[in-house]
Amino acid sequence: MVFNTGAALLDAIVLAVVAKDGVDGTYGYKITQDVRSVIELSESTLYPVLRRLQKDDCLETYDKQFSGRNRRYYKITERGTAQLNLYRTEWLSYSSKVTGIFSGKHEEDKNGQN
Amino acid sequence: MDRIEYMKELELLLANIPSDERDDAISYYNDYFDAGGAENEEATIKALGTPEELAATIKLAGNQLDKYGTSTKQINTEYESKTPKKRSVGWIILFIICAVFAAPILLPVLFGLFMAAVAIAIAIIAVIFAVLLALVAAGIGVLISGITGLVVGIVTILSNPFGALVVIGLSCIGLALGVLFCMGVAKIIKITLPPIFNGCIKLIKSTAKWLWGKIKLALGRRSS
């Protein structure tokens, strides 16, 4: 991994991952695997993030029976959805600026070569 | 190490955090192992790191939640921190306006109060001086009467020997007392005057410094 993922971006990715699983949300292990498909992070990193989002009222938990065991599910709250939309807007702005400066440089090199 | 040992170890390492936090973390990672399945147990243990490392991550997360709040709040505080500067400039302007309007009454009143304080201080010092002077005068008076008595006694010793002796005796006693009294007064003066003097000088110095500091502050603020 070349670029570091800050706390805010990590929060955003986790919220997006939980949101895409619909109203019922999903459980910790699956969240971890889904996030790891997007960015590299160690499996122990996710628990603190989930706790933070929970304390923030962006996620809420409930227990559901699975294979005779109790399993904790996370689902996104209204506030979490609002926060995720904020992140989405911020990301669009941020990433387009970065893309812009990267592609601008690329064009300069092209002209230099000609 | 198998999963059961791992989780036992983790629970021990989390003994010093609040029980609800500990239970929360333990149940999360039990769920995690369950979801991974028995066949993935070893891989999961490897992926999670040692129990010590995992416990440290959990505790660090707990501390950060207490100390720094959360990331969403951080976004808000970034925008909030831009306003306090505006607030203080506004207060300064308000303060200056009030000061200008209040000055015609406020300044004379303050000046009057200040001079009254100065007058009282001077009066107290004057009283002290007067008392000291009186003591000195009394001392000198006793001395003079003692010496006078002595002279009278010596002069009349021929005409009235016994009387003269009495007078001489009394005068000597008077003189002795007078000298002691004067020495006492001298000591009192030595003890009380220098501190009063130094105190006055210090007071004047510190008042001047304080005033100068306030002037510099006011000038400094306006220029920034």
Side-chain angles (χ1 to χ4, degrees):
Chain A
M1 173 181 269
V2 179
F3 303 104
N4 201 20
T5 310
L9 186 54
L10 194 48
D11 284 359
I13 293 175
V14 170
L15 283 175
V17 159
V18 175
K20 83 166 167 58
D21 278 311
V23 212
D24 289 333
T26 182
Y27 52 98
Y29 188 83
K30 181 147 191 307
I31 299 176
T32 308
Q33 304 313 315
D34 288 350
V35 172
R36 277 163 63 83
S37 70
V38 177
I39 51 169
E40 286 174 32
L41 92 166
S42 73
E43 295 183 42
S44 58
T45 311
L46 202 70
Y47 176 66
V49 178
L50 288 171
R51 277 209 67 214
R52 184 170 63 223
L53 290 169
Q54 210 183 329
K55 283 253 162 103
D56 244 353
D57 283 324
C58 289
L59 290 178
E60 58 187 12
T61 61
Y62 65 94
D63 287 336
K64 205 160 90 169
Q65 283 283 328
F66 185 86
S67 309
R69 292 183 290 234
N70 244 351
R71 184 188 258 173
R72 186 187 303 161
Y73 280 74
Y74 293 85
K75 64 180 202 177
I76 196 166
T77 63
E78 244 182 68
R79 176 163 174 175
T81 310
Q83 192 63 38
L84 178 58
N85 287 331
L86 195 104
Y87 282 136
R88 283 184 173 129
T89 316
E90 286 293 321
W91 175 259
L92 277 174
S93 155
Y94 173 71
S95 62
S96 65
K97 282 189 244 177
V98 175
T99 308
I101 197 65
F102 283 165
S103 50
K105 219 179 179 224
H106 179 68
E107 285 206 19
E108 229 179 273
D109 284 344
K110 258 189 172 175
N111 289 337
Q113 278 170 10
N114 287 344
Chain B
M1 187 186 267
D2 72 357
R3 168 225 174 128
I4 299 179
E5 286 169 357
Y6 189 95
M7 290 307 291
K8 260 201 190 142
E9 182 71 33
L10 182 65
E11 190 159 5
L12 279 173
L13 288 164
L14 293 177
N16 57 350
I17 65 172
S19 64
D20 52 340
E21 282 180 35
R22 180 171 59 245
D23 293 340
D24 194 279
I26 295 293
S27 66
Y28 177 85
Y29 283 106
N30 272 327
D31 282 358
Y32 200 82
F33 274 108
D34 291 339
E39 66 280 12
N40 285 325
E41 214 176 87
E42 222 184 290
T44 305
I45 291 181
K46 260 206 187 131
L48 290 176
T50 67
E52 288 81 11
E53 289 166 348
L54 189 57
T57 309
I58 294 169
K59 286 183 196 174
L60 188 67
N63 283 343
Q64 281 180 341
L65 272 175
D66 296 331
K67 268 196 210 169
Y68 302 112
T70 60
S71 56
T72 52
K73 283 188 189 155
Q74 272 168 20
I75 293 179
N76 292 335
T77 50
E78 261 172 21
Y79 292 105
E80 269 175 27
S81 65
K82 287 189 186 166
T83 47
K85 258 194 190 171
K86 271 193 194 165
R87 225 189 277 162
S88 69
V89 167
W91 279 119
I92 291 177
I93 294 177
L94 189 68
F95 181 73
I96 293 175
I97 294 176
C98 281
V100 167
F101 276 113
I105 296 182
L106 201 66
L107 280 179
V109 167
L110 282 177
F111 189 69
L113 283 172
F114 177 70
M115 291 317 279
V118 169
I120 291 177
I122 293 179
I124 292 177
I125 295 177
V127 165
I128 295 177
F129 266 113
V131 168
L132 287 175
L133 259 177
L135 286 174
V136 169
I140 296 178
V142 171
L143 278 177
I144 292 180
S145 56
I147 295 175
T148 316
L150 207 62
V151 169
V152 167
I154 294 175
V155 163
T156 58
I157 198 152
L158 294 171
S159 55
N160 187 359
F162 294 115
L165 279 174
V166 169
V167 168
I168 292 176
L170 285 175
S171 306
C172 285
I173 295 175
L175 250 174
L177 286 174
V179 168
L180 280 172
F181 187 73
C182 283
M183 279 169 63
V185 169
K187 198 137 206 212
I188 293 178
I189 294 181
K190 206 178 175 188
I191 296 176
T192 53
L193 263 186
I196 293 180
F197 208 58
N198 290 337
C200 286
I201 294 183
K202 266 191 194 167
L203 195 67
I204 296 175
K205 267 192 187 169
S206 62
T207 314
K209 255 193 197 169
W210 175 83
L211 271 172
W212 184 236
K214 292 286 172 182
I215 293 173
K216 276 211 270 193
L217 245 176
L219 287 175
R221 260 208 207 137
R222 275 196 210 156
S223 64
S224 68

